[in-house]
Amino acid sequence: MARLLRTLRSSQPVARFQRCCGLFPADSLEEYVVKNYFYYYLFKFSAALGEEIFYITFLPFTYWNIDHSVSRRMIIIWSIVMYIGQVSKDILKWPRPLSPPVVKLEMRTDAEYGMPSTHAMAATAISFSFLIATMNQYKYPFELGLVAAFVFSTLVCLSRLYTGMHTVLDVIGGALISAVLLVLLYPAWDIIDHLLLTSPFCPLLCIVVPLVLCYNYPKLDYYSPTRGDTTTILGAGAGATVGFWLNNQYAAPTYTSRNFQLGFPLITSKIVVAMLARFFVGIFVVLSTRQLMKSVVLGMLGYRYKFPIGDLEARRRLEVEVPYKFITYSSVGFSATVVVPLLHKLLGLM
């Protein structure tokens, strides 16, 4: 068993997988040589399914076009799973694969530790929580949903090997941790959902608890983007949760899912147009909110702590990074769940 674990933690299996998929180290000034562009683009796309661009589009899409309860459960599970994954990295401090022999296609996350793979955790959590939340509400073959969830999570997991960012053990560990958390949290889904919608303490707790966790994030000897990424995730989850509570308290407009009750194959072109309209209007507001709040919050913090907005080192300081990320992304979450639905109603898109 110990020998197997050492093998799974080593860089050699990752390097062999890359070569099997047509990715090789370069002998010249190039960083790497691609001999199979199908795998290259497939796994580069799959890796993006674990990045901010996917979270900021897919999670709001489910809220605007599918079902509020499904979206709420996915966001809560995603926030919990990602926090545990990020903290685990900086507690375990397992290094990423060595390069060489591995070819690394990403540089930003190379400063982070490897175990567990939060891409694998997020992909497993999102795909299977979506399956669990929808299988009893909508008419579609369960086997199809199961295969889709498995394929989605598998592609993201394999992409972390292809891009050279994780060992096999990192990926397996991330997927297993996420699966265990899903099993443990599933019995409490309805209770958590009810409390988040009805408790008068929900807004306060949803802001204070994540902020305390962010300010008390495990300290490292050097800067790592994990604290900033964790603050982004918890901030978005906090803002969205406050929006859920506010909508429930004041009977805000809700999206109907009646179009889906007869089964996904019967979705008409009119429904598709409405869904796309809601999505593009919503994503414009969300991205605009993010850009606006980034500028405003950074400007205020720069004035408070006397640093220029372009000073990257200053932006990495605890007293700057945490409020900057948290306020920006909690505003994004709140905008997606409160402001966008009101705008949809005003435009007749509900």
Side-chain angles (χ1 to χ4, degrees):
M1 178 60 73
R3 183 177 180 181
L4 175 61
L5 291 177
R6 284 196 299 270
T7 301
L8 294 177
R9 280 192 65 182
S10 73
S11 301
Q12 292 299 332
V14 180
R16 285 196 294 269
F17 177 76
Q18 289 182 321
R19 290 194 294 271
C20 288
C21 295
L23 185 65
F24 297 88
D27 296 326
S28 62
L29 296 177
E30 296 177 313
E31 294 182 7
Y32 52 85
V33 175
V34 178
K35 294 188 177 180
N36 189 317
Y37 278 96
F38 171 77
Y39 286 127
Y40 178 79
Y41 289 114
L42 173 65
F43 289 127
K44 289 286 283 184
F45 173 78
S46 300
L49 298 178
E51 302 286 352
E52 180 184 345
I53 185 65
F54 174 73
Y55 303 141
I56 209 170
T57 52
F58 177 73
L59 294 176
F61 179 88
T62 62
Y63 188 78
W64 301 328
N65 288 304
I66 299 180
D67 190 285
H68 282 188
S69 65
V70 172
S71 180
R72 288 196 305 268
R73 285 162 171 77
M74 290 175 62
I75 289 173
I76 297 305
I77 293 294
W78 170 68
S79 300
I80 294 173
V81 164
M82 289 297 286
Y83 174 76
I84 292 174
Q86 295 285 74
V87 169
S88 298
K89 282 185 179 183
D90 292 336
I91 292 176
L92 293 174
K93 298 183 179 180
W94 285 16
R96 290 184 181 268
L98 297 175
S99 176
V102 169
V103 177
K104 293 195 174 182
L105 302 188
E106 297 178 10
M107 290 295 110
R108 177 186 176 275
T109 56
D110 196 34
E112 301 178 9
Y113 289 107
M115 176 68 175
S117 165
T118 46
H119 274 72
M121 292 184 71
T124 303
I126 288 178
S127 58
F128 284 94
S129 63
F130 182 82
L131 171 66
I132 295 169
T134 58
M135 63 183 183
N136 293 324
Q137 295 191 48
Y138 303 111
K139 295 181 179 179
Y140 65 86
F142 172 76
E143 295 79 7
L144 178 62
L146 183 63
V147 169
F150 180 78
V151 169
F152 179 90
S153 57
T154 299
L155 282 174
V156 175
C157 290
L158 291 178
S159 75
R160 305 316 288 160
L161 301 180
Y162 183 85
T163 54
M165 301 313 297
H166 286 286
T167 65
V168 176
L169 190 58
D170 295 343
V171 170
I172 294 175
L176 287 178
I177 293 171
S178 191
V180 169
L181 289 172
L182 274 173
V183 171
L184 294 177
L185 291 170
Y186 175 69
W189 272 19
D190 291 338
I191 297 174
I192 295 172
D193 193 48
H194 177 73
L195 289 174
L196 291 178
L197 291 178
T198 60
S199 173
F201 302 106
C202 173
L204 179 62
L205 291 176
C206 286
I207 298 298
V208 172
V209 172
L211 271 176
V212 170
L213 293 176
C214 293
Y215 274 109
N216 290 277
Y217 192 83
K219 293 181 174 60
L220 299 175
D221 296 331
Y222 63 93
Y223 177 79
S224 167
T226 48
R227 185 183 64 202
D229 291 344
T230 303
T231 306
T232 294
I233 293 163
L234 293 184
T241 304
V242 171
F244 298 150
W245 181 87
L246 196 65
N247 288 340
N248 187 68
Q249 297 298 310
Y250 295 97
T254 57
Y255 300 94
T256 176
S257 58
R258 64 179 181 271
N259 295 325
F260 292 89
Q261 296 297 336
L262 296 177
F264 287 102
L266 296 182
I267 298 176
T268 64
S269 58
K270 182 179 179 181
I271 296 172
V272 171
V273 170
M275 291 169 62
L276 291 175
R278 286 195 291 264
F279 173 73
F280 285 115
V281 168
I283 207 65
F284 174 79
V285 173
V286 165
L287 294 177
S288 299
T289 300
R290 183 180 66 167
Q291 190 59 43
L292 174 64
M293 294 308 297
K294 275 186 175 182
S295 301
V296 171
V297 176
L298 266 182
M300 294 175 64
L301 290 170
Y303 177 80
R304 169 68 177 83
Y305 294 106
K306 310 300 181 186
F307 67 87
I309 293 179
D311 188 343
L312 183 59
E313 289 301 317
R315 288 163 59 173
R316 290 175 170 177
R317 286 154 41 190
L318 174 68
E319 65 271 22
V320 174
E321 184 177 57
V322 170
Y324 158 54
K325 298 274 189 180
F326 192 87
I327 295 172
T328 297
Y329 284 91
S330 61
S331 300
V332 168
F334 185 83
S335 174
T337 54
V338 176
V339 177
V340 171
L342 289 175
L343 181 58
H344 285 167
K345 184 180 181 181
L346 183 65
L347 296 175
L349 297 174
M350 300 292 286

